[in-house]
Amino acid sequence: MADSSFDIVSKVERQEVDNALNQAAKEISQRYDFKGVDASIAWSGEKIEMRANAEERVKAVLDIFQSKLVKRGISLKALDAGEPQPSGKEYKIFASLQEGISQENAKKVAKIIRDEGPKGVKAQVQGDELRVSSKSRDDLQAVQQLLKGKDLDFALQFVNYR
């Protein structure tokens, strides 16, 4: 019997992020506590730019955006938000989306699988993803549960389960 396998990736559904951003922008434009503070959130190239006239307000914009991401099922570990920076009369926060698993994080996950996972499970790094294979599908599911239970500092998704 052939080995079963799945891939571990770290990808973000761009359309869902866009939807969350649009929902956050709409809420900011309608909320009473944001009237007259020039608060906004928008794409700025590949980054997301949040701006307001006070540091607390721009942090509130980030908080609203994060809550919209969570409602849409996107892990906050994929969002890399910077600190508020003064820019003239306003404050800005730039946030970027982290995609792909770095080599060192892939090695870290492979080590967790080797050390704590079931015997006979193999993990190979393939570019910015990790392929996990085993003869037993139960072992693969055990690996998924093991990784879901770990508190890693990046988001993981499991795809191509066969």
Side-chain angles (χ1 to χ4, degrees):
M1 188 174 126
D3 283 4
S4 299
S5 68
F6 68 88
D7 294 336
I8 301 174
V9 296
S10 182
K11 288 191 169 53
V12 177
E13 188 70 43
R14 183 82 175 195
Q15 185 61 50
E16 290 297 328
V17 174
D18 206 33
N19 291 342
L21 186 122
N22 292 335
Q23 286 179 336
K26 185 175 182 181
E27 183 174 325
I28 290 163
S29 70
Q30 292 176 344
R31 270 183 42 178
Y32 179 77
D33 56 335
F34 283 110
K35 294 282 186 240
V37 296
D38 296 329
S40 67
I41 181 169
W43 285 104
S44 173
E46 283 296 305
K47 292 185 181 268
I48 299 161
E49 179 182 5
M50 293 158 263
R51 53 174 66 194
N53 65 0
E55 189 173 347
E56 298 79 36
R57 289 281 176 234
V58 79
K59 285 182 178 176
V61 170
L62 175 62
D63 191 46
I64 289 170
F65 181 54
Q66 287 175 333
S67 72
K68 299 300 180 190
L69 286 174
V70 168
K71 283 183 182 170
R72 293 206 152 270
I74 296 171
S75 172
L76 292 181
K77 293 176 181 178
L79 183 72
D80 183 23
E83 289 299 311
Q85 303 165 339
S87 171
K89 293 183 177 177
E90 63 185 8
Y91 284 82
K92 293 181 180 179
I93 293 179
F94 287 100
S96 60
L97 299 170
Q98 295 177 326
E99 290 195 299
I101 302 174
S102 70
Q103 287 293 325
E104 78 179 47
N105 286 340
K107 287 178 183 171
K108 200 184 305 182
V109 171
K111 182 170 175 27
I112 290 171
I113 293 170
R114 249 193 338 268
D115 294 347
E116 301 175 33
K119 298 289 178 238
V121 176
K122 295 183 284 295
Q124 307 167 294
V125 178
Q126 296 180 334
D128 61 350
E129 58 185 44
L130 200 67
R131 163 111 356 123
V132 180
S133 58
S134 172
K135 293 204 182 305
S136 164
R137 287 179 170 236
D138 292 342
D139 288 350
L140 292 180
Q141 290 175 341
V143 167
Q144 287 181 356
Q145 292 305 317
L146 170 72
L147 293 176
K148 284 178 184 174
K150 292 288 178 193
D151 187 28
L152 300 168
D153 55 348
F154 51 96
L156 293 179
Q157 291 85 33
F158 306 110
V159 297
N160 296 338
Y161 188 74
R162 36 177 133 65

